[in-house]
């Protein structure tokens, strides 16, 4: 039974073998004798521009072919194919699998395209496959995992994509795996941990994600591990400390977080450690000081904190220490180095929070490059800086160093870069700096240095860039500046330099950027300016330079930026127009004259043209319409005439168009509405006529619209209300008529609105009170506006100036205006206003209210009017007066009657007293009332009966007869 089963299986296996032979005919039929034909077939897929394969011919022994190596002592057995670096292009044909004996294939550093043939997986003798640095596409073939004898696989630096096939973990003999510089994604396969012989793993510069798999700990023979420049994350695994033979560990530019494992300190063979560009936190482990072979340590661009704990004094072989871009604090360690025993050549501590001084660096005698910029270092630059005799680069910028630049700096004879900008250095540049013959970059800008620029500086003939911007240097530019033949950048802006520009500057033939702006330079430009053939950027603004420009400047064909604004240059613009590459031409506030040359339009890439404040005349050249990239055109304050040329409509990218202060005529062009990017339009102070085109409402980006002081007529288009970004609207001094459109309320970002000196009529729209951002001014004066002042204007609480004068406004001043607490100028004069000035506005001068029927502070006091006092008119008032007279008469008669009665009673009392009633009733009753003093002011003592009667009218007596009572009292006292 078993024999029958075996006999049935054999034909099946034979069929399978036949099937694979059909698929892999070249392998099944390949023999050493077929190798030459196979190689010629491989050649047919290649393009050989150098002819290195021209000797491949069946007429010659295959072992003599270029790039072919055969097994020694054997005929026709090819063991190696090496065509590296011959500029070959084309594809790798699957026929290559026919070279069955091959052990090494090297097609690297060519321009091959197409996929990697999966058939390579059938070359069971293959030990080395090098296809790196080509343009191969597709994925990494999983079939390469069949190469059991493969030791070296380097196929990086291609355009491969997809994931790393886990089948590569089956290449158990693999020692080198290079898949760097591709577009591989996915995770690092855990199966790579099966590669027990692996010594070099390079997966850097891909887009790998996930973490480093723990299975990789099985690769105990690793010498090089590079997974830099991917998107790996998680913690750096502590098991990397178990790779006892590891020499290079590069995990840079990933997303690793957490702390640096202290276990890395066990890697006694490590010479290169790069963890830069991650999100590592915590302190630097002191265990790193155990890495006695370490030459390069880069922990930059992380979030590492604490103090600097790695010391070159203990890391005797350390040459590069890079800790920039962290949050390290404290001072530079005093024991960072120990004299001459240190090998530290490059120290980069920039962009931390380090304090203190740099004196500890003076012990690092081997230093060549020092960058401690962007910290909080203080103190002076130590005079002992020349102890670092090998120093090439010194960057101390963006700190808080003070004091002077020590003259010992001149002893650093190898110095090429000296960057000290943005500190608090004072004093002069020491003349000793002239000894720095190798100095290329000298950056002293944004300090407080002063004095003259020493002539000795011109001895530094290697200088390429000099930047002294923002100091207090005075005096002249050194006459021998032309000695600096290599100078490419000279930046002396914002100092106090005076005198002329030296003629020798023309000898700086390499000069590309010249910035002498914001000084007190005088005189004319030297004729030698025309020798600066490489000059691209020149800024001389804010000086007192004068005279016509040298004709030789027309030879400067590389100019891209010219800014001569705010000087006294005169004459023609033509010398500046030799270049057709100008991007900026700014000549504001000079004395240039003549017409604007059409040659300006040769620079088709120009973005800014500013010719304001000169004496230019004639028409605006229509050729300016060719400047289709122009963003700013400022021709204001000249003597230009004629119409605004329609060709400017082609300048569709304009953001600023300023033509004000000229003599332009014609209408405001409607095509302006097509300039969608326009943010500022100023056509004021010209002689433009016609109406305001409604199309301006399409300029949705407009921030400022000024058409003042022209001869415009018609009404204000309501479409202006669509300019919802508008900050400034000035239409004053025209002949505009009609009503103020309520649609202006939609311009709710307005902070300045001027419509004065027109013939606008109708009421002030109450909607203007909704312009809550109005701040600078609301000026509607000198129009024909009528009606009352809207109470809604009291909502403009940010407003500083309000002018409604010289209109026909009537009614009272609304009390709501008292809410305008930011107001410091108010003018309501010369209207038809009446009533009292609200008390909250009384602090404004009387001139704010004159020419109305107003009263109250600060004007004259209000006299109550008929309406204000409630007085009745005509007959009603007369009737009331008559009634008052009658009532008064009746009251007088009543009073007279009362007085007579009182007088009669007084007489009766007097008679009774003379009859002796006082003695009869002068006992207890009379004495008590006297003592109480109730009748003290009546007269002599009376009887009880008489006293009671008199008491009942005592109050009237004291009032109506006060003077008599006082006389009686005086008699009693006497």
């Amino acid at each position: 039974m078993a024999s029958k089963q075996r006999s049935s299986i054999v034909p099946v296996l034979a069929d399978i073998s036949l099937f694979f032979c059909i698929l892999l005919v070249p392998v099944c039929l390949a023999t050493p004798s077929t190798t030459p034909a196979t190689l010629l077939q491989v050649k047919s897929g290649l393009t050989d521009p150098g002819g290195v394969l021209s000797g491949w011919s069946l007429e010659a022994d295959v072992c003599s072919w270029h790039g072919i190596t055969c097994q020694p002592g054997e005929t026709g057995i090819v063991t190696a194919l090496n065509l590296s670096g011959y500029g070959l292009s084309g594809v790798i044909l699957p026929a290559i699998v026919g070279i069955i004996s091959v052990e090494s294939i090297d097609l690297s550093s060519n321009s091959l395209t197409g996929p990697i043939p999966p058939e390579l997986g059938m070359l069971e003798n293959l030990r080395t496959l090098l296809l790196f640095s080509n343009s191969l596409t597709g994925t990494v073939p999983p079939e390469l995992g069949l190469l059991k004898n493969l030791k070296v696989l380097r196929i990086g630096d291609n355009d491969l994509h997809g994931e790393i096939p886990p089948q590569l973990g089956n290449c158990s003999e693999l020692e080198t795996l290079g898949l760097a510089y591709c577009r591989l994604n996915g995770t690092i396969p855990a199966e790579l941990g099966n590669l027990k012989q692996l010594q070099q793993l390079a997966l850097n510069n891909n887009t790998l994600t996930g973490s480093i798999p723990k299975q990789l700990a099985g690769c105990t023979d690793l010498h090089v591990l590079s997974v830099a420049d991917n998107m790996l994350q998680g913690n750096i695994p502590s098991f990397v400390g178990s790779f006892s033979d590891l020499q290079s560990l590069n995990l840079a530019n990933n997303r690793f977080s957490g702390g640096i494992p202290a276990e890395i300190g066990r890697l006694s063979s490590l010479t290169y450690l790069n963890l830069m560009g991650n999100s590592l936190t915590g302190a630097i482990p002191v265990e790193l000081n155990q890495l006695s072979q370490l030459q390069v340590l880069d922990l930059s661009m992380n979030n590492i904190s604490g103090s600097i704990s790695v010391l070159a004094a203990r890391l005797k072989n350390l040459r590069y220490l890079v800790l920039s871009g962290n949050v390290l604090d404290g001072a530079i360690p005093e024991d960072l180095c120990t004299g001459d025993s240190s090998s530290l050549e490059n120290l980069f501590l920039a962009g931390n929070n380090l304090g203190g001084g740099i004196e500890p660096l003076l012990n690092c005698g081997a230093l060549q490059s020092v960058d401690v910029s962007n910290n909080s270092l203080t103190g002076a630059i130590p005079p002992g800086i020349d102890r670092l005799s090998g120093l090439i680069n010194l960057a101390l910028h963006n700190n808080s160093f003070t004091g002077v630049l020590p003259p010992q700096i001149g002893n650093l004879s190898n110095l090429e870069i000296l960057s000290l900008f943005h500190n608090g250095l004072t004093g002069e540049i020491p003349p000793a700096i002239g000894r720095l013959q190798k100095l290329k970059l000298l950056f002293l800008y944004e300090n407080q240095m002063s004095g003259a620029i020493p002539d000795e500086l011109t001895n530094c003939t290697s200088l390429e860039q000099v930047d002294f911007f923002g100091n207090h240097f005075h005096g002249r530019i050194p006459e021998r500046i032309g000695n600096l033949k290599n100078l490419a950048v000279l930046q002396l802006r914002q100092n106090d330099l005076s005198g002329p520009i030296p003629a020798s500057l023309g000898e700086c033939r390499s000069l590309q950027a010249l910035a002498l702006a914001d000084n007190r330079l005088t005189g004319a430009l030297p004729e030698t300016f025309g020798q600066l053939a490489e000059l691209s950027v020149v800024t001389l603004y804010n000086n007192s330079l004068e005279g016509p420009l040298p004709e030789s400047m027309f030879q400067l064909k590389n100019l891209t930026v010219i800014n001569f604004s705010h000087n006294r240059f005169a004459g023609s613009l033509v010398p500046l127009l030799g270049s057709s590459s100008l991007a900026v031409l700014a000549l504001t506030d000079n004395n240039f004259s003549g017409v604007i040359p059409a040659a300006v339009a040769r620079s088709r890439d120009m973005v800014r043209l500013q010719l304001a404040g000169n004496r230019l005349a004639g028409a605006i050249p229509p050729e300016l319409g060719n400047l289709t990239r122009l963003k700013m055109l400022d021709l204001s304050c000249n003597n230009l005439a004629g119409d605004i040329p329609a060709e400017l409509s082609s300048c569709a990218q304009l953001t600023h168009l300023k033509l004000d202060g000229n003599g332009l005529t014609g209408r405001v062009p409607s095509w302006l509405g097509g300039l969608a990017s326009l943010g500022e339009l100023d056509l004021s102070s010209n002689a433009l006529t016609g109406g305001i085109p409604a199309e301006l409402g399409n300029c949705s980006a407009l921030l400022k619209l000024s058409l003042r002081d022209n001869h415009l007529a018609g009404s204000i288009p309501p479409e202006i209300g669509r300019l919802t970004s508008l900050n400034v609207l000035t239409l004053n001094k025209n002949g505009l008529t009609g009503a103020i459109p309520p649609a202006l309320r939609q311009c709710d970002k307005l902070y300045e609105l001027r419509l004065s000196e027109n013939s606008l009529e109708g009421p002030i729209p109450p909607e203007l009170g909704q312009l809550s951002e109005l701040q600078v001014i609301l000026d509607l004066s000198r129009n024909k506006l009528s009606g009352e002042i809207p109470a809604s204007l009291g909502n403009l609480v940010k407003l500083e100036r309000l002018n409604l004068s010289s209109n026909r406004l009537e009614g009272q001043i609304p009390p709501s205006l008292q809410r305008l607490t930011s107001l410091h100028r108010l003018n309501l004069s010369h209207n038809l206003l009446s009533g009292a000035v609200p008390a909250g506005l009384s602090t404004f001068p009387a001139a704010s209210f004159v020419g109305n029927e107003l009263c109250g502070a600060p004007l004259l006091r209000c006299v109550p009017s008929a309406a204000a006092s409630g007085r009745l008119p005509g007959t009603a008032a007369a009737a009331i007066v008559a009634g008052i007279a009658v009532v008064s008469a009746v009251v007088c008669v009543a009073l007279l009657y009362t007085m007579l009665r009182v007088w009669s009673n007084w007489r009766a009392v007097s008679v009774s007293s003379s009859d002796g009633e006082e003695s009869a009733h002068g006992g207890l009753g009379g004495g008590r009332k006297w003592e109480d003093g109730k009748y003290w002011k009546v007269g002599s003592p009376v009887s009880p009966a008489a006293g009671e009667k008199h008491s009942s009218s005592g109050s009237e007596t004291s009032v109506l007869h006060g003077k008599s009572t006082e006389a009686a009292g005086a008699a009693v006292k006497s």
Side-chain angles (χ1 to χ4, degrees):
M1 184 67 179
S3 61
K4 287 184 178 180
Q5 288 179 342
R6 282 197 297 271
S7 62
S8 64
I9 289 173
V10 170
V12 173
L13 292 176
D15 290 342
I16 293 175
S17 300
L18 179 62
F19 175 72
F20 276 104
C21 281
I22 293 173
L23 288 179
L24 301 172
V25 170
V27 177
C28 295
L29 301 180
T31 64
S33 61
T34 63
T35 299
T38 299
L39 287 170
L40 290 176
Q41 190 173 357
V42 171
K43 175 185 174 182
S44 68
L46 304 175
T47 300
D48 177 20
V52 295
L53 306 182
S54 59
W56 284 22
S57 169
L58 293 178
E59 298 176 357
D61 182 6
V62 67
C63 296
S64 67
W65 292 6
H66 187 84
I68 299 299
T69 300
C70 292
Q71 185 174 335
E74 298 291 340
T75 302
I77 300 179
V78 175
T79 57
L81 171 62
N82 186 351
L83 299 176
S84 174
Y86 289 126
L88 302 175
S89 58
V91 297
I92 304 172
L93 293 177
I96 198 171
V97 75
I99 316 173
I100 57 173
S101 58
V102 72
E103 297 178 1
S104 174
I105 296 177
D106 186 355
L107 301 177
S108 63
S109 302
N110 284 292
S111 300
L112 302 177
T113 56
I116 298 173
E119 289 81 0
L120 288 173
M122 302 303 298
L123 296 174
E124 59 184 21
N125 294 312
L126 198 62
R127 294 173 178 270
T128 301
L129 178 58
L130 306 178
L131 304 179
F132 63 88
S133 297
N134 280 286
S135 298
L136 300 172
T137 56
T139 60
V140 178
E143 290 81 357
L144 297 182
L146 299 172
L147 301 173
K148 301 296 184 181
N149 295 311
L150 194 65
K151 291 183 177 296
V152 178
L153 176 60
R154 296 183 61 194
I155 56 177
D157 194 15
N158 279 290
D159 199 24
L160 302 173
H161 64 273
E163 299 186 358
I164 299 172
Q167 290 85 347
L168 293 182
N170 298 327
C171 300
S172 55
E173 299 297 318
L174 203 61
E175 296 176 357
T176 299
L177 176 57
L179 300 176
Y181 292 95
C182 291
R183 294 189 294 116
L184 302 175
N185 55 27
T187 59
I188 300 174
E191 288 79 0
L192 296 187
N194 298 330
L195 304 176
K196 306 301 182 184
Q197 309 299 320
L198 195 63
Q199 296 179 14
Q200 299 186 48
L201 176 60
L203 306 178
N204 49 292
N205 295 87
N206 284 286
T207 56
L208 301 174
T209 56
S211 59
I212 297 176
K214 60 183 179 180
Q215 291 82 356
L216 210 60
C219 304
T220 55
D221 289 341
L222 270 177
H223 290 65
V224 175
L225 174 58
S226 178
V227 294
D229 295 284
N230 281 285
M231 295 186 290
L232 300 172
Q233 58 190 14
N235 292 336
I236 297 174
S238 58
F239 66 72
V240 297
S242 64
F243 298 145
S244 56
D245 295 326
L246 198 64
Q247 298 173 11
S248 177
L249 176 60
N250 190 352
L251 309 181
N253 296 319
N254 279 283
R255 300 174 182 176
F256 292 115
S257 56
I260 299 172
E263 289 82 357
I264 292 179
R266 301 174 186 169
L267 303 175
S268 57
S269 300
L270 200 64
T271 61
Y272 180 89
L273 175 58
N274 192 344
L275 306 180
M276 71 166 289
N278 283 285
S279 299
L280 300 175
T281 56
I284 302 172
V286 294
E287 288 82 357
L288 297 188
N289 288 306
Q290 301 170 13
L291 303 175
S292 58
Q293 302 301 314
L294 197 63
Q295 297 179 21
V296 176
L297 174 59
D298 191 343
L299 306 180
S300 61
M301 309 306 293
N302 281 286
N303 293 310
I304 299 171
S305 57
S307 59
I308 298 174
S309 58
V310 287
L311 304 175
R314 297 177 62 183
L315 300 172
K316 300 296 185 181
N317 293 297
L318 191 65
R319 296 172 56 232
Y320 286 83
L321 176 57
V322 187
L323 304 178
S324 304
N326 283 288
V327 287
L328 296 169
D329 53 23
I332 298 172
E334 292 288 341
D335 54 348
L336 178 66
C337 300
T338 53
D340 296 333
S341 62
S342 172
S343 300
L344 189 63
E345 297 176 353
N346 301 276
L347 176 64
F348 301 97
L349 306 178
N352 282 284
N353 299 322
L354 300 174
I358 60 170
E359 285 76 10
L361 300 184
L362 304 184
N363 296 322
C364 304
L367 277 175
Q368 297 179 10
S369 292
V370 173
D371 186 354
V372 293
S373 61
N374 297 287
N375 278 287
S376 300
L377 298 170
T378 57
I381 298 172
I385 192 73
D386 58 351
R387 289 166 56 185
L388 305 177
S389 57
L391 206 57
I392 298 174
N393 305 317
L394 178 59
L396 307 181
H397 54 267
N398 284 329
N399 279 286
S400 298
F401 290 111
T402 54
V404 300
L405 183 60
Q408 289 83 355
I409 204 80
N411 297 330
L412 299 175
S413 57
N414 294 307
L415 200 63
E416 296 180 5
I417 296 176
L418 179 58
S419 182
L420 306 177
F421 66 87
H422 201 220
N423 278 288
L425 299 177
T426 55
E428 301 181 356
I429 299 174
I433 204 166
R435 299 202 298 268
L436 301 179
Q437 296 294 309
K438 296 182 180 180
L439 193 63
K440 295 180 179 179
L441 272 65
L442 177 57
F443 293 158
L444 302 179
Y445 62 89
E446 292 180 334
N447 278 284
Q448 302 296 320
M449 300 186 74
S450 57
I453 299 173
D455 289 335
E456 289 81 358
L457 183 66
T458 61
N459 296 330
C460 302
T461 53
S462 297
L463 273 172
E464 297 175 1
Q465 297 186 41
V466 172
D467 194 338
F468 294 169
F469 163 80
N471 280 281
H472 304 293
F473 294 117
H474 59 77
R476 294 174 174 243
I477 299 171
E479 287 292 335
R480 295 188 297 124
I481 194 75
N483 290 352
L484 305 180
K485 308 295 185 186
N486 297 307
L487 198 61
V489 176
L490 178 58
Q491 166 67 276
L492 304 179
R493 184 167 75 88
Q494 206 173 103
N495 280 283
D496 198 27
L497 299 172
S498 57
I501 297 173
S504 70
L505 187 64
E507 300 300 320
C508 301
R509 305 294 176 86
S510 299
L511 199 61
Q512 299 174 22
L514 175 63
L516 305 180
D518 293 312
N519 280 288
R520 295 190 296 113
L521 301 174
T522 56
L525 291 187
E527 190 68 30
T528 55
F529 235 74
Q531 301 173 12
L532 303 175
E534 300 297 319
L535 196 61
S536 174
V537 176
V538 53
T539 60
L540 306 177
Y541 58 87
N542 291 339
N543 280 289
S544 297
L545 298 166
E546 59 188 7
L549 301 174
E551 295 292 336
S552 61
M553 291 193 69
F554 193 81
Q555 305 303 318
L556 304 182
K557 306 299 184 183
N558 292 311
L559 282 173
T560 59
V561 175
I562 299 174
N563 192 338
F564 289 0
S565 297
H566 310 293
N567 278 284
R568 301 171 187 170
F569 291 117
S572 173
L573 305 180
V574 173
L576 298 177
L577 304 180
S579 170
S580 59
S581 303
L582 284 175
V584 174
L585 180 58
L587 307 176
T588 300
D589 289 339
N590 280 282
N591 293 313
F592 290 110
S593 57
V595 298
I596 299 174
V600 171
R602 290 175 54 224
S603 297
R604 298 299 178 89
D605 292 331
M606 189 176 291
V607 295
R608 185 151 57 99
L609 177 58
Q610 294 173 276
L611 306 179
N614 283 284
R615 295 187 289 118
L616 300 170
I620 298 173
E623 290 83 357
L624 296 187
N626 295 329
L627 304 177
T628 54
R629 298 186 180 182
L630 200 63
K631 294 186 176 181
M632 173 177 281
L633 177 59
D634 187 356
L635 307 180
S636 59
C637 301
N638 279 287
N639 299 316
L640 301 175
D643 293 354
I644 300 173
E647 289 79 0
L648 291 182
S649 61
S650 300
C651 303
Q653 297 185 41
L654 272 175
T655 58
H656 298 267
L657 179 57
K658 292 173 59 63
L659 306 178
D660 51 293
N662 283 287
L664 300 175
T665 55
R667 303 176 68 88
V668 178
S670 58
W671 52 259
L672 290 170
L675 302 179
S677 300
L678 200 61
E680 179 181 15
L681 176 60
D682 194 342
L683 306 180
S684 59
S685 301
N686 279 289
L688 300 172
T689 57
I692 300 173
E695 289 83 356
L696 290 182
N698 297 328
C699 299
S700 57
L702 208 58
L703 300 176
K704 177 182 179 180
L705 174 59
S706 181
L707 304 177
R708 66 177 178 81
D709 198 9
N710 279 285
H711 305 308
L712 302 179
S715 59
I716 300 172
E719 288 81 0
I720 298 296
R722 298 209 299 262
L723 304 177
T724 53
S725 298
L726 203 62
N727 296 151
V728 177
L729 177 59
T730 57
L731 306 178
N732 48 307
K733 294 188 178 180
N734 278 290
L736 300 174
T737 56
I740 299 173
L744 289 184
R745 69 154 300 278
Q746 299 172 55
C747 305
D748 54 7
K749 293 183 175 61
L750 272 177
Y751 65 81
E752 181 175 346
L753 177 58
R754 299 176 189 262
L755 305 179
S756 62
E757 298 184 62
N758 282 288
S759 296
L760 300 172
E761 54 191 9
I764 298 173
E767 290 84 355
L768 296 187
Q770 299 178 36
L771 300 176
S772 58
E773 296 300 316
L774 267 181
Q775 179 176 344
V776 176
I777 193 170
L778 172 59
D779 190 352
L780 308 180
S781 63
R782 298 188 182 186
N783 279 287
K784 299 178 181 179
L785 300 173
S786 57
E788 297 185 345
I789 299 174
S792 62
L793 297 188
N795 296 328
L796 307 178
V797 294
K798 297 181 181 179
L799 195 62
E800 296 175 355
R801 289 185 286 171
L802 174 62
N803 192 347
L804 306 179
S805 65
S806 300
N807 280 288
R808 300 170 182 173
L809 302 173
E810 58 187 8
Q812 297 186 347
I813 299 174
S816 62
L817 296 190
Q818 297 177 105
R819 298 202 300 266
L820 304 181
T821 54
S822 298
L823 207 63
H824 58 77
R825 287 190 185 179
L826 174 65
N827 194 348
L828 305 179
S829 64
H830 303 291
N831 278 287
L832 304 175
L833 300 172
S834 59
V837 175
L841 304 180
S842 62
T843 56
F844 290 99
S848 298
F849 307 102
V850 298
N852 289 286
E853 296 183 8
L854 296 169
C855 62
L859 303 173
L860 295 175
R861 213 175 87 184
C862 292
V863 176
S865 62
S869 62
R871 185 173 60 192
L872 296 176
T875 56
I880 291 175
V881 170
I884 291 173
V886 171
V887 171
S888 299
V890 172
V891 170
C892 288
V893 171
L895 287 174
L896 182 60
Y897 173 76
T898 302
M899 291 172 64
L900 290 173
R901 289 291 305 270
V902 170
W903 182 77
S904 297
N905 291 335
W906 180 76
R907 290 283 296 170
V909 170
S910 299
V911 170
S912 300
S913 297
S914 63
D915 288 344
E917 288 187 20
E918 182 180 354
S919 59
H921 303 283
L924 180 60
R928 185 173 62 250
K929 290 186 178 181
W930 180 266
E931 291 171 0
D932 292 342
K934 293 182 179 180
Y935 301 105
W936 178 260
K937 293 183 180 180
V938 175
S940 56
V942 294
S943 62
E948 290 172 6
K949 187 174 182 179
H950 189 79
S951 175
S952 65
S953 59
S955 61
E956 291 182 8
T957 304
S958 62
V959 172
L960 298 178
H961 306 282
K963 291 182 179 180
S964 300
T965 305
E966 290 174 3
V972 170
K973 290 178 183 178
S974 62

